[in-house]
Amino acid sequence: EPEVTQTPSHQVTQMGQEVILRCVPISNHLYFYWYRQILGQKVEFLVSFYNNEISEKSEIFDDQFSVERPDGSNFTLKIRSTKLEDSAMYFCASSLTHEAFFGQGTRLTVV
Amino acid sequence: AQSVTQPDIHITVSEGASLELRCNYSYGATPYLFWYVQSPGQGLQLLLKYFSGDTLVQGIKGFEAEFKRSQSSFNLRKPSVHWSDAAEYFCGLVKEYGNKLVFGAGTILRVKS
């Protein structure tokens, strides 16, 4: 069964460093998303991406964040200068219609 | 704007007992509704979904949910809970395809033996 793949599963980074979280969505999907879950809290929408551009973003998705689909298969989330409060689980998802398929997540720890 | 409310933060049930997790939504039309389960440290697994048609939908692991338009609810049920069902459950809503999934705050289910 097709699945969304995220790498790495866990990343530790120093405050102020740049990180790139990587995702391989399901191959025929058209819509791509990033969500964040701070430990013990709800899953929050960050950004959606369609037709090679951002279709919607939340207030969380400020200038420190960017997304890219550099080729036909990868979808990346970049955090330019990480802060302690960026520590969270980041989920990538993709969809063809209504149903989003989620990856297993990348746990980002900023120290 | 659409929203999802899960009124219960924690629920504890005995193994073998029945379960109902509540979900209410706010949206002007009929949305697409989902339930996901998250085990500790894991990703989000889809349990079931409602798009249209029969308002009682069956999912994996013996779960079902009923869409009630008049109450703006989509409650999740299971007749007999197993210890392995202990997890966090998220209700979600999509207003139309390609749009973001909006999640409720989640309900943590504890199962006591």
Side-chain angles (χ1 to χ4, degrees):
Chain A
E1 187 175 320
E3 59 180 18
V4 176
T5 306
Q6 289 185 244
T7 53
S9 57
H10 191 189
Q11 179 149 3
V12 181
T13 190
Q14 297 239 326
M15 192 168 53
Q17 294 296 304
E18 174 183 286
V19 294
I20 298 176
L21 309 183
R22 302 181 191 279
C23 171
V24 179
I26 295 173
S27 61
N28 65 331
H29 284 187
L30 301 176
Y31 304 93
F32 312 105
Y33 313 86
W34 283 101
Y35 292 81
R36 177 182 84 173
Q37 185 182 31
I38 294 171
L39 188 64
Q41 297 186 23
K42 69 188 288 185
V43 181
E44 302 172 289
F45 167 76
L46 290 178
V47 65
S48 57
F49 193 85
Y50 170 70
N51 202 25
N52 282 317
E53 59 183 26
I54 290 174
S55 47
E56 186 176 359
K57 60 183 180 180
S58 72
E59 293 172 354
I60 304 167
F61 194 88
D62 61 21
D63 292 343
Q64 293 297 317
F65 292 89
S66 62
V67 289
E68 198 176 38
R69 190 156 159 81
D71 51 43
S73 59
N74 292 285
F75 180 50
T76 61
L77 174 69
K78 183 193 291 186
I79 309 175
R80 212 179 323 276
S81 177
T82 50
K83 307 183 188 72
L84 294 175
E85 54 264 36
D86 294 326
S87 295
M89 182 77 94
Y90 289 81
F91 292 106
C92 173
S94 68
S95 70
L96 184 58
T97 56
H98 320 90
E99 180 182 342
F101 292 78
F102 285 82
Q104 288 299 300
T106 294
R107 178 163 297 285
L108 176 65
T109 303
V110 183
V111 297
Chain B
Q2 67 273 33
S3 66
V4 177
T5 302
Q6 293 180 247
D8 305 303
I9 299 172
H10 296 100
I11 282 188
T12 301
V13 299
S14 298
E15 192 168 14
S18 64
L19 169 71
E20 183 168 28
L21 301 182
R22 295 184 291 164
C23 172
N24 294 98
Y25 68 88
S26 173
Y27 180 55
T30 299
Y32 303 100
L33 295 161
F34 304 84
W35 275 100
Y36 286 84
V37 61
Q38 184 182 34
S39 297
Q42 300 298 307
L44 295 157
Q45 182 181 23
L46 179 68
L47 283 176
L48 47 76
K49 59 196 176 192
Y50 172 77
F51 289 169
S52 63
D54 193 347
T55 56
L56 184 64
V57 293
Q58 303 297 320
I60 62 171
K61 305 185 182 190
F63 285 92
E64 66 179 28
E66 186 171 13
F67 170 64
K68 292 186 177 179
R69 187 192 311 272
S70 61
Q71 298 177 19
S72 298
S73 68
F74 188 55
N75 294 347
L76 182 71
R77 300 195 294 246
K78 186 169 185 179
S80 177
V81 167
H82 187 261
W83 64 266
S84 60
D85 293 324
E88 188 159 18
Y89 292 78
F90 292 94
C91 182
L93 171 163
V94 172
K95 62 180 184 181
E96 54 194 44
Y97 77 77
N99 281 184
K100 66 188 178 196
L101 178 60
V102 174
F103 286 99
T107 297
I108 296 172
L109 173 65
R110 298 193 180 105
V111 180
K112 59 181 181 180
S113 54

